[in-house]
Amino acid sequence: MNTGPYSEERVQQYLQEEFVTMKSQCFWDNRTDLMKQFTVTWTPTLLVLDQTGKEHHRMVGYVPAEDLLGQLKLGKAKMHFNRFRFAEALTAFAEVIDNHPAAGAAAEAIFFHGVAGYWQSHDPKRLRMAYDTLLVKFPNDEWTRRAAPYAAIPL
């Protein structure tokens, strides 16, 4: 993780502060045990795992540093979400939305921010608000299409 966006100082600092990083050599003609264990088929593959080794987020390929930071933060948010820690998930999704609004992870963060808000409050309006935000900011994104059923929820 020392080329492209991974080599940028702010990315390195965030990785050091927030993650335990691990780098593995990838040999396509002789796949390593880690490549097999995590079904790595292309490099770079970035996985956000919890301390038990459970995968919460995966990103394949190089992206600009801003997108990479958004993806890393999205991975942390999804880890909170998958553990039903919705207050922490809401804060983490909001960080992606607020600090990386143009990153590729932003639309997914908006979608899951709405879902986490629903789980925390049981108020379906949170789903509708997420859809409305996606419709304005990302009208052609797949996360907007996934949220389309929420358009029927009255505000």
Side-chain angles (χ1 to χ4, degrees):
M1 293 175 39
N2 53 3
T3 61
Y6 297 102
S7 64
E8 289 197 23
E9 185 176 329
R10 63 189 177 135
V11 172
Q12 286 290 320
Q13 182 177 351
Y14 184 75
L15 285 167
Q16 289 173 4
E17 290 173 358
E18 300 294 329
F19 291 91
V20 175
T21 60
M22 186 172 80
K23 178 180 172 181
S24 173
Q25 292 295 323
C26 295
F27 302 103
W28 301 112
D29 56 343
N30 185 17
R31 297 184 70 224
T32 65
D33 289 340
L34 281 175
M35 291 176 73
K36 293 173 188 172
Q37 178 182 351
F38 292 108
T39 317
V40 172
T41 57
W42 195 247
T43 61
T45 296
L46 181 135
L47 304 173
V48 176
L49 312 171
D50 64 21
Q51 64 271 23
T52 69
K54 179 180 179 191
E55 182 178 327
H56 294 275
H57 187 65
R58 175 181 292 244
M59 191 196 74
V60 178
Y62 284 104
V63 295
E66 193 65 25
D67 284 294
L68 180 57
L69 288 167
Q71 291 287 339
L72 290 166
K73 292 174 183 180
L74 178 63
K76 285 187 64 180
K78 288 168 73 175
M79 192 179 322
H80 293 307
F81 179 84
N82 292 339
R83 292 178 172 165
F84 300 96
R85 292 166 32 188
F86 299 120
E88 292 168 273
L90 284 165
T91 299
F93 287 128
E95 184 178 352
V96 176
I97 296 162
D98 295 341
N99 297 331
H100 307 281
E108 186 174 357
I110 292 168
F111 178 90
F112 278 105
H113 188 269
V115 175
Y118 168 76
W119 276 113
Q120 184 183 50
S121 67
H122 300 289
D123 182 356
K125 291 178 185 171
R126 301 291 295 267
L127 299 169
R128 170 64 187 273
M129 290 169 32
Y131 172 71
D132 290 345
T133 301
L134 284 163
L135 194 59
V136 169
K137 293 184 176 188
F138 301 97
N140 299 313
D141 195 90
E142 79 172 278
W143 290 100
T144 305
R145 292 188 296 276
R146 290 181 190 206
Y150 308 148
I153 298 170
L155 284 176

